[in-house]
Amino acid sequence: MGNGKYNREKVYEYAKKWAYLRNPHYYNYDAIGGDCTNFASQCIFSGYNQMNYNKDNGWYYINANNKSPSWTGVEFLHKFLIHNKGDGPYGEETTIENLETGDVIQLSFDGSKFSHSLVVIQNSIDLDNTLVAAHTFDTFGKKVSDYSFINYRCIHIEIK
């Protein structure tokens, strides 16, 4: 059950612990499309500890074969966070200067499809000073501006 507050410090600590490792409680999707959004979901979950088990449009992980598309899919996570009206976290699109630790940045490398999720571990007012953690291309403390991307979007995580 969620605690009513998003604990951004726990998100930071989780990201720091698992950025270069894999938590054995979760399947590693590196070999089948990437683990970035799985890692982002784990980080978000560590900060709130509540899933949404709605089979149609929820956000949950039970095991590798029983999870929501939003747990591991970039576009699905965005859709869940922005449109969630039930249990668990929700988000709103914002600008880089409004991000906080525990928020999410998604990158588009081709300019149309978003395909990589990053977890903010230190926020700032621009891409040069905002630091992130991620899987697939494992990192902790990387500047967003060090990625080669065409477009990005920022999601501020909140709890209802």
Side-chain angles (χ1 to χ4, degrees), residues 22-112:
R22 298 301 183 265
N23 183 333
H25 295 291
Y26 298 97
Y27 185 79
N28 177 1
Y29 294 92
D30 278 332
I32 54 172
D35 200 56
C36 65
T37 305
N38 179 36
F39 177 68
S41 287
Q42 291 172 42
C43 289
I44 294 167
F45 182 67
S46 74
Y48 186 58
N49 200 33
Q50 183 178 12
M51 295 182 188
N52 179 318
Y53 292 97
N54 183 303
K55 290 287 184 190
D56 295 323
N57 54 13
W59 175 76
Y60 62 90
Y61 180 96
I62 297 169
N63 60 49
N65 298 311
N66 189 358
K67 62 170 181 55
S68 65
S70 59
W71 189 269
T72 56
V74 175
E75 293 290 350
F76 293 108
L77 177 62
H78 177 263
K79 182 178 178 184
F80 170 78
L81 290 171
I82 300 304
H83 298 290
N84 181 27
K85 303 287 188 235
D87 293 335
Y90 70 97
E92 63 181 13
E93 284 198 34
T94 189
T95 57
I96 192 84
E97 60 270 7
N98 292 322
L99 290 178
E100 298 178 55
T101 298
D103 289 341
V104 174
I105 298 173
Q106 295 184 322
L107 303 179
S108 172
F109 300 108
D110 65 5
S112 62

Side-chain angles (χ1 to χ4, degrees), residues 81-150:
L81 290 171
I82 300 304
H83 298 290
N84 181 27
K85 303 287 188 235
D87 293 335
Y90 70 97
E92 63 181 13
E93 284 198 34
T94 189
T95 57
I96 192 84
E97 60 270 7
N98 292 322
L99 290 178
E100 298 178 55
T101 298
D103 289 341
V104 174
I105 298 173
Q106 295 184 322
L107 303 179
S108 172
F109 300 108
D110 65 5
S112 62
K113 178 184 174 196
F114 287 88
S115 58
H116 194 45
S117 295
L118 311 168
V119 177
V120 175
I121 59 164
Q122 178 182 309
N123 57 304
S124 187
I125 59 169
D126 59 29
L127 296 172
D128 288 327
N129 296 295
T130 300
L131 304 181
V132 295
H135 272 188
T136 304
F137 308 107
D138 294 2
T139 192
F140 183 85
K142 184 174 183 173
K143 295 177 185 180
V144 178
S145 61
D146 286 345
Y147 286 89
S148 296
F149 59 91
I150 294 175

